[in-house]
Structure formats: C-alpha cells, structure tokens
Amino acid sequence: MNSIFRPTVSSAPCMLGENNPDIIQQEAAPESTALLNGLSRIFGIRLAGHENEPDARFLADLARLFHQRRVDAETTLEKHDKPWANVYLIQYGIMRLFREAPSGKVSVHHFFSEGDMVWPVFGRSRTVRNTLCMTSVTPATAWVADFSAFRSAIQSHGEGLWPRFALVLTEEMAELTSMREFRKHTMSARERYQLLLEEYPELVKRVPDNQLASWLGVVPATFSRLKTGASK
C-alpha cells in the first residue's frame, strides 16, 4: 500500500528561542490531515492534491463519517454480547482484541497499533452473538465511524469494492490466527517468546506482561520466567 509523504524542512531546536529570521515557521497540520493520510494508506490511494479526482472524492466521503476520540488506558470500546458498532482507525496507541470466558479467563487474539484499521470482520460479531471485545491497552487516539455507514459508503463507490477491501483484513486475521495456533502446538514457550521479541519489539515495550502472556498462550508466571531467562 502506498503512503503519503509530505516533505518538510525544519530548523535545529537550539535556534527556536533566538527568533532567528532563518527559522522556517510552519503551521501545524489540521487533525483532518492525519485522518486522510491514514485512509489513503489503508486503501492504497496516493493523494496528489486533486480534489476532483474520483479517489480523492472517495476518501473525502469516508472522512466525513469519522470523528476523533481520545480514551484512557483500559477503556472498553467493544464488548461481547453486543453488536460491534464501529470501525476504528488508530492514530496513536494500542488496542487489544480478546475473548473473555464467563469464568473471567481472557484469551488475547491480537493487538492493533498506530495506522491499523479495526472493524467487525466476522458477521457474527455484528450481532448480539458477538463474542469479541476490544479495549485500549494504552491511552489512545482513534478516528471512529459507524460501521454500517462506513460499509455503505464504500459500496456506493463501486460494485465489488467492499468485498475486495474486506478480504484483505479477513485473510490477514485468519493467517495470524492459524500461525499462532500452529506455533502453540509445534514450538516451545521459549521459542514462541523469542519470536515475540523479534517480530513485535514495540509491543514488548508498551504492553503489560500479563496481556502478552495471554497472547503467547502461557500463564503470567511462565512469561515472567521466560523474560528473566532472556535477559541473562
């Protein structure tokens, strides 16, 4: 997917207090720019500044559906037994997708972070039979839109556009889930922990150990031993 690159020129921080005429003063980009850039990356559309082009109109139509939401850590965004209502484009922070048993036991399925779009991939999750929950792991800023309106807007811009878009995330989620199950049954906990360090170093720094343990498929005490052993 293409990303948007907006070249900028900046001055050294040590010059900022000198009122130096060589300093280039730049206005901060509006929040809506971050939303458009995020949507353009998700859909693989490179904006070229031509507002009347079909791709630009498509992104503008989608952007109108979103509002920005800031939440604290451990804020419930979607809950089981209720239809998953929204689509989220994460600007900052980490969110976790999980299931919670009646006993209170939690199984973490995936973490989402900056630049990720999260929506109810599975039809069941859009009904009262939904078993998935989503909660912020860290303080987070996200762009939020009603899922039904989001899907309808995409469908209105071309036949087959929604299935093509939906298939990408569906296949990604299926691949990640099957790979995690394969590793759980064919690798030791130590081997899985090592892969966690190699593949998701940012998550290791930002996500609490008990949540990483659930994702890895081990109890917190085992995770603590793996962490201690890896640091020696």
Side-chain angles (χ1 to χ4, degrees), residues 62-145:
L62 292 183
R64 281 191 282 270
L65 302 175
F66 286 82
H67 66 276
Q68 193 180 66
R69 182 180 177 188
R70 292 183 172 88
V71 298
D72 296 327
E74 295 304 313
T75 298
T76 298
L77 300 167
E78 301 290 343
K79 190 171 176 59
H80 59 253
D81 297 332
K82 294 183 178 181
W84 183 309
N86 298 312
V87 54
Y88 302 85
L89 177 56
I90 303 174
Q91 183 173 333
Y92 173 80
I94 298 176
M95 299 177 184
R96 73 178 180 274
L97 183 69
F98 63 98
R99 285 186 169 91
E100 183 176 2
S103 63
K105 184 178 180 181
V106 170
S107 175
V108 176
H109 294 294
H110 196 61
F111 292 101
F112 297 93
S113 59
E114 289 82 1
D116 288 337
M117 177 169 277
V118 194
W119 51 275
V121 173
F122 308 110
R124 175 173 177 162
S125 59
R126 304 166 204 161
T127 72
V128 293
R129 297 185 299 154
N130 175 37
T131 59
L132 290 170
C133 307
M134 192 167 73
T135 299
S136 57
V137 176
T138 66
T141 300
W143 292 94
V144 186

Side-chain angles (χ1 to χ4, degrees), residues 4 21 27 63 89 105 118 123 145 162 182:
I4 300 302
E27 294 184 3
L89 177 56
K105 184 178 180 181
V118 194
W162 171 256
F182 172 76

